[in-house]
Amino acid sequence: MYTHNAVDTFDMGSADSSLSSLNEIPMEMDLTSAGPPISDDETEVETKEKKLFVYAKRILPHVGLVILLFLYLIAGAFLFRYLEAPKELETRNHELTTILGLRDEFQDHIWNITQDSDNRISREAFNAINQEYFEQLVKNMFQAYRNQFITAKHLLNKTREDEVLWTFPNSMFFAATVITTIGYGNLVPITVTGRVACIIFALLGIPLLLVTIADIGKFLSEFLSYLYRSYRGFKRKLRRQSKKITSQYRSQSQSRSSSVMGSSKAGSMNLHDIDSDSEDSAGDELRIPVFMVLLVLLAYTAIGGFLFQSWEHLEYFEAFYFCFITMATVGFGDIVPNEQVYVFFTMAYIIFGLSLATMCIDLAGTEYIRKIHYLGTKMEDAKGAVMTGLQAGEHLLKHTGIEVIKTAGGKLVQVRGAVLSSKEARELGMSYLLQFNYQHKNVLYEPLTGNLAKVVKEANIKILPDDITEKDGYIVQNKSYDRPVLGERGFVRLNGNAIKRIMIPLRNQAICVPYLIQKESDV
Amino acid sequence: MGRRHRRSKVTRVVNLVKKIIAFFFSHIGLCALVVGYALLGAVIFKAVEGPHEAEIQELVKSAREKAVDVVWNATFRVNRLDSKQWKKTVLDEVKRFKTVCMLSIRKGYDGKEYGKQAQWTFTGAFLYSLTVITTIGYGNTAAKTYIGKTLTMLYAIIGIPLMLLFLTNIGDVMAKIFRFLYAQSIRLKFRLILWHKKRKAAKIRRANSLVSRLTRGHRVKADSSVDSFGLGAGADVEDLLTARVEMEQLEVRETAAAQLESMTVPISLVVFTMLGYLGVGTTIFKVWEGWTFLESFYFCFISLTTIGFGDKFPSTSVSNTDEAQEKLVITSIYLLFGMALLAMCFNLAQEEVQNKTRWIADKFRSKEDDDD
């Protein structure tokens, strides 16, 4: 395509230099946009049908699971309302009677003291009576408040008589807080059957919610990955378009200057191709950064703060604190939603938020936790493996005087001048034999394999000649190791101070090389 | 030489850092880290929330003293003969006191006397820290100040992942220990059965020798044809019995080997372990707090599932005595160990559940193929 454009531009430039710039630009745009629309339309129709099918197949199980959860919550709401509502009225009346009774008793007692004019009561005795009364009042008020059946409205006689706490929305909200293990504690079962029902309800409901949240979390994870990939694709396309426009302007200016610049235009086209190729390869990597994941969680909590600020008339900090404690499923219960109208929205917010948290853990958190744990485990495994290998190698070297060691990556290192005969090789049980004409040059400068490099780096094993010193056991260093030492008629001349690079064994003999890791004195 | 020396020093430092990281994320280091983090939280929350609690308690106390003064003045200094006026004054004062008291309760007052009892002791703050990072969150003790709430959020952000890591790690270790003990018990069981069968074999062998001796004695006396027939019959019976016993021993060994290879702990044993732990907790709290059996079990269940309503809470009549503090510490240990045990049970049951799920899925798929 680029070549075609270049040829056309070159011809027009050379033939008719008097053409105006306005005519040139629309023509080129037509040429560039001629091909793609047709193929795009065809592929678009096909992909649309396929997408619909994929979406339908993918969404149905999720919807079924959510519906099952919703039905379970409704059943729980009916159950708890049926069990707990009668007890609530009874308890509330009892508590109100107690508090009002305390007040009336106090009044009668003081009045009787006053009316008895014969005895003049002392200030200390009077204080003791009042202290006792107010302590009892405080204790009963706190107990009533703790049970959440009596609020300031009841104590100040500002509420209707038939108002109850275990309404259907509140019961459903209670059921939701049980299976999400948030457990505010603003509503709790008091009856024996209510508590047994709560235990059984939680035992069945918590696994159901965990499965549902994991499912929704995975769905959200895939959706977010899809969005991120689309965003990357769109960004790439935009960049390509801008680069194309820039190249067109550049081509025009070059064509105007002279016809000798054709080769440089070809070079610039090649550069554009290389850039687009590199962008394509870079775009394939899908790595959602941890920062973005945390930002999603923080944004969701902040949005929740705004919502509850407007719904429940809280300060923003209180609302944010409530959302955070809820998302973490801590659920203190010091701040709880009170408006009946918004209970269902609150439940939806909670369940969606927990799914979002599961998604974020799935994307970023689990990997980091596993990585840290893997790091701890890997240290032990690597050290153990290296120690075992090195000890085995040391043992063999000490007892058999083997000349050559083959490292874990397959590299050959000659230790001393000993050459094993076939008999000795058979006794040692080695199965690897060098061939007669085997030659190996510059062994130690070949690049190490990935696994070997990893082990060497972690365990501080010395392989390269510069790292090897005379203190390192059986390795002897010589400055002239690049120059091979050959005797007459191909025999290997033995030299205790040299590390040989070329080994030509005697006729009718073979050299046995054990598969061992070189000894490392520091480990 | 300088370059080699510097490289070795850097390498040594890197290795040291790696070893430290490995230790802290190993089992003992992780336990120490969790306990240390909870202790740190205890110190912080006590410092932040303790003064606020004292302030609220003093507010209620001063309100009460003021109410007493007003009632005294109304009774003995103002016109005391007018019953209606006096009653109105007393009622107004009681209502005002109720309002102040309710406001204080919302701010965190818990009905305890100033200077005598306090929620935010060190052990109370420790239990609060533990309920935050385990996400139980009773709510009986909750941060009330602005700084306290902010610190709670930051504390939870770091502490909850740390707790998850701790439970995952300890759950793995405890699952391995449990599996090892289970394998040992299976080996012991089959060794006992084997010993029993060997003793049975020895008994049979002794009976066989006795029979053969009798047969030999009888052969001396009787004629040859009858002797040969009887001896053959006896030999056949002996061989059959011996072979059968050896076959039984072999079957027992094979059964033991098969069960040891599978190494999956049955779900009933896992559930039984969990119920046992709940039973122990139920007994403890029943003795301590005077709750009924159902109430204690209810508290343990609600706590270990991290629901944490807070309607039942140990030491609700808490005081600063050593006994109450000791109870809080034991409660904390119970919760921490209980959650680790729960993680272990999940770990053990997970394989079994996955196998059953896979089996059901395969069955469903085969059924679907048949329908197609």
Side-chain angles (χ1 to χ4, degrees), chain B residues 23 25 56 58 65 86 92 101 119 127 137 147 196 259 263 289 298 302-303 310 323 331 334 349 352 354:
Chain B
F23 170 74
F25 287 97
I56 292 292
E58 190 165 3
E65 288 175 349
W86 175 85
D92 286 346
C101 192
Q119 271 183 343
L127 187 56
I147 298 174
H196 184 72
Q259 287 205 14
M263 286 299 290
E289 304 288 333
Y298 174 76
I302 294 297
S303 298
E323 187 182 356
T331 304
Y334 176 80
E352 194 76 13
Q354 279 179 355

Side-chain angles (χ1 to χ4, degrees), chain A residues 345-447:
Chain A
F345 296 111
T346 306
M347 286 167 53
Y349 176 83
I350 289 170
I351 292 175
F352 190 77
L354 290 177
S355 303
L356 204 65
T358 304
M359 177 200 78
C360 294
I361 291 173
D362 194 29
L363 285 175
T366 307
E367 183 175 347
Y368 274 85
I369 290 177
R370 190 182 295 121
K371 191 173 285 184
I372 292 170
H373 189 63
Y374 172 75
L375 185 64
T377 310
K378 186 62 191 301
M379 291 301 295
E380 298 295 328
D381 288 347
K383 188 173 181 181
V386 170
M387 285 301 296
T388 304
L390 291 180
Q391 284 173 0
E394 183 179 358
H395 181 79
L396 274 171
L397 284 174
K398 281 182 178 177
H399 291 85
T400 60
I402 289 174
E403 170 193 16
V404 178
I405 287 179
K406 188 172 189 178
T407 59
K411 302 297 181 287
L412 297 176
V413 178
Q414 184 177 355
V415 180
R416 275 183 188 163
V419 175
L420 296 180
S421 64
S422 58
K423 182 181 178 183
E424 289 172 334
R426 203 177 306 111
E427 286 178 354
L428 286 175
M430 298 297 174
S431 62
Y432 182 79
L433 297 176
L434 289 176
Q435 292 178 0
F436 180 77
N437 291 324
Y438 182 78
Q439 293 187 6
H440 208 316
K441 297 181 180 179
N442 292 326
V443 175
L444 296 182
Y445 284 110
E446 289 182 4

Side-chain angles (χ1 to χ4, degrees), chain B residues 4-17:
Chain B
R4 189 180 297 113
H5 183 66
R6 182 171 64 253
R7 184 187 298 164
S8 66
K9 181 179 276 187
V10 169
T11 306
R12 196 174 295 117
V13 169
V14 169
N15 284 334
L16 185 65
V17 169

Side-chain angles (χ1 to χ4, degrees), chain A residues 107 123 181-183 329 331-332 467, chain B residues 7 69 91 135 137 139 306-308:
Chain A
Q107 290 179 6
R123 177 64 190 260
T181 70
I182 296 173
T329 68
F332 288 125
D467 295 332
Chain B
R7 184 187 298 164
D69 282 346
L91 283 180
T135 71
T306 70
I307 298 175

Side-chain angles (χ1 to χ4, degrees), chain A residues 107 110 114 123 126-127 131 145-146 155 181-183 185 192 317-318 328-332 369 372 466-467, chain B residues 4 7 25 64 68-69 72 75 86 91 102 105 135-137 139-140 149-150 165 294 305-309:
Chain A
Q107 290 179 6
I110 296 295
T114 307
R123 177 64 190 260
F126 187 81
N127 281 349
Q131 292 282 345
Y145 180 82
R146 186 67 225 168
L155 291 173
T181 70
I182 296 173
V192 170
F317 179 76
E318 302 277 327
T329 68
V330 177
F332 288 125
I369 290 177
I372 292 170
D466 290 336
D467 295 332
Chain B
R4 189 180 297 113
R7 184 187 298 164
F25 287 97
R64 186 177 59 205
V68 170
D69 282 346
W72 170 262
T75 306
W86 175 85
L91 283 180
M102 182 59 67
I105 287 173
T135 71
I136 297 175
N140 284 338
K149 286 173 178 173
T150 306
L165 190 63
L294 180 68
T305 52
T306 70
I307 298 175
F309 286 130

